[in-house]
Amino acid sequence: MQHTSHLLMIQPVHFSFNAETAVNNSFQNKSDQSNVQEKARQEFEQFISILRAHDIDVTVVEDTPDPHTPDSIFPNNWISFHEDGSICLYPMFATNRRLERKPSVLNSIQEKFLIVHTNDFTSNEKNELFLEGTGSMVLDREKKIAYACLSPRTNTQVFNEFCNTMQYKGVSFVAVDAAGAPIYHTNVMMCVADDYVVICLDSIKDSNEHQLVKQSIINSGKIIVEIDFNQMNHFAGNMLQVHNTRGEKFLVMSSQAFHALTPKQIETITAFNKIIHSDITTIETNGGGSARCMMAEIFLPLK
């Protein structure tokens, strides 16, 4: 399936602005708040409550204070989970983000789910080649298509290695923000659901690549919900489709993203599924990631 009802989320202990990632994440802004961790934790807990109120299964693992991992709230960048029982571990750009690969997280997952194989791409870090999971890639799991906008965080060689290993067709391109800078992660400009794709096509400047991506979406049988640069800057591309224990489908996003959508876009999306949103402004501002980044979807078999 394209979506799952099982999510992994990491409860923050020392969430803060990460200077190591800010060098190529234009979505990050250091706030003047003195209580960033406290506010982030409140936003995190409220988000979890909303998801669980809709009967979505969330495995919450509390981060450890040591080693210090200010971005651990975004687990989808270092690990992904797949229906065949495999997991993938990814090479990370920031050295302090590599410390997020903690045994405690996998131990919690293995209490409930079956892991039969590990695909470890992390050795690419020694060559400064990176692929940050389902941040760098947006997966059409049903059609086995992986979309990736290339950046310092998303290397062509490692992307092809993933596609060959996992038997995905790779669709890579260059996407830039309104200022012309490379977009650091594909999942801020694109979200693939089962019947539609939310995407900022304006960010793909090369006409051939623009047409390649657009045609791939159309050929996969999905409609396009197009967002503009301003909406993308409010994280309207950083969404994830999930379902609950009763099979009801939802598109999960932040409140900032929801309020950036037009009534017509909301109407189009809600024709396919309901929308869930939560206010995570502190996390978005300091972390440069939004709702989708906080959720690592688990497709592993249950024990």
Side-chain angles (χ1 to χ4, degrees):
M1 295 183 69
Q2 177 61 25
H3 42 81
T4 179
S5 63
H6 303 292
L7 302 173
L8 165 68
M9 297 180 70
I10 307 296
Q11 191 169 48
V13 172
H14 286 311
F15 176 80
S16 63
F17 177 86
N18 187 351
E20 285 192 35
T21 57
V23 295
N24 53 26
N25 181 349
S26 62
F27 290 80
Q28 265 181 274
N29 294 284
K30 189 172 185 179
S31 71
D32 296 326
Q33 289 176 290
S34 59
N35 58 342
V36 168
Q37 159 60 25
E38 181 185 338
K39 286 287 295 179
R41 182 128 182 174
Q42 290 171 356
E43 291 175 358
F44 178 89
E45 290 174 353
Q46 177 64 21
F47 191 10
I48 295 291
S49 296
I50 290 172
L51 291 169
R52 287 176 169 166
H54 288 85
D55 295 321
I56 296 161
D57 177 55
V58 186
T59 298
V60 176
V61 179
E62 184 164 7
D63 193 21
T64 57
D66 186 52
H68 177 55
T69 47
D71 275 335
S72 61
I73 201 169
F74 304 130
N76 78 309
N77 297 142
W78 67 267
I79 191 167
S80 64
F81 307 95
H82 301 268
E83 286 184 336
D84 63 357
S86 67
I87 65 170
C88 295
L89 302 177
Y90 297 99
M92 305 287 286
F93 170 81
T95 53
N96 64 6
R97 293 216 61 192
R98 300 170 193 175
L99 302 174
E100 294 172 28
R101 301 188 291 252
K102 299 178 181 181
S104 57
V105 177
L106 286 178
N107 291 340
S108 295
I109 292 295
Q110 287 179 301
E111 288 176 9
K112 187 173 179 179
F113 300 94
L114 186 66
I115 297 175
V116 297
H117 181 68
T118 299
N119 299 299
D120 191 344
F121 303 106
T122 61
S123 63
N124 287 284
E125 288 170 349
K126 67 179 182 290
N127 296 316
E128 299 291 304
L129 304 177
F130 311 112
L131 184 74
E132 297 191 331
T134 54
S136 287
M137 304 177 289
V138 174
L139 303 180
D140 184 333
R141 291 179 182 257
E142 287 185 317
K143 303 293 185 181
K144 301 289 280 187
I145 304 169
Y147 295 93
C149 70
L150 304 176
S151 76
R153 310 270 195 102
T154 305
N155 174 267
T156 303
Q157 180 181 318
V158 192
F159 177 57
N160 290 337
E161 186 181 345
F162 167 86
C163 291
N164 291 335
T165 300
M166 300 303 292
Q167 297 184 311
Y168 272 74
K169 175 188 176 184
V171 178
S172 61
F173 52 93
V174 174
V176 297
D177 61 21
I183 292 173
Y184 82 108
H185 274 166
T186 312
N187 75 359
V188 297
M189 54 78 66
M190 183 179 192
C191 162
V192 174
D194 53 2
D195 293 312
Y196 62 92
V197 172
V198 179
I199 185 170
C200 182
L201 281 171
D202 287 345
S203 67
I204 307 173
K205 297 301 185 184
D206 182 271
S207 59
N208 291 330
E209 291 182 345
H210 187 285
Q211 187 58 34
L212 172 70
V213 174
K214 188 173 182 178
Q215 200 58 52
S216 177
I217 296 168
I218 293 169
N219 290 348
S220 69
K222 304 178 194 295
I223 71 160
I224 295 173
V225 181
E226 198 164 348
I227 57 173
D228 61 26
F229 280 114
N230 181 59
Q231 292 175 314
M232 181 186 74
N233 290 339
H234 287 86
F235 295 103
N238 197 246
M239 307 162 165
L240 181 68
Q241 189 182 44
V242 302
H243 64 266
N244 66 9
T245 54
R246 299 188 301 278
E248 294 176 294
K249 293 187 292 185
F250 303 91
L251 188 64
V252 184
M253 65 189 73
S254 71
S255 294
Q256 180 182 182
F258 176 75
H259 293 303
L261 296 174
T262 67
K264 178 62 178 175
Q265 289 167 330
I266 292 172
E267 180 184 345
T268 300
I269 291 168
T270 53
F272 294 104
N273 49 236
K274 297 176 183 176
I275 290 174
I276 297 173
H277 64 90
S278 187
D279 182 1
I280 50 173
T281 306
T282 303
I283 294 168
E284 290 174 316
T285 301
N286 291 275
S290 187
R292 193 277 169 266
C293 302
M294 295 169 65
M295 299 177 287
E297 62 267 50
I298 305 171
F299 287 86
L300 298 171
L302 286 163
K303 280 190 170 178

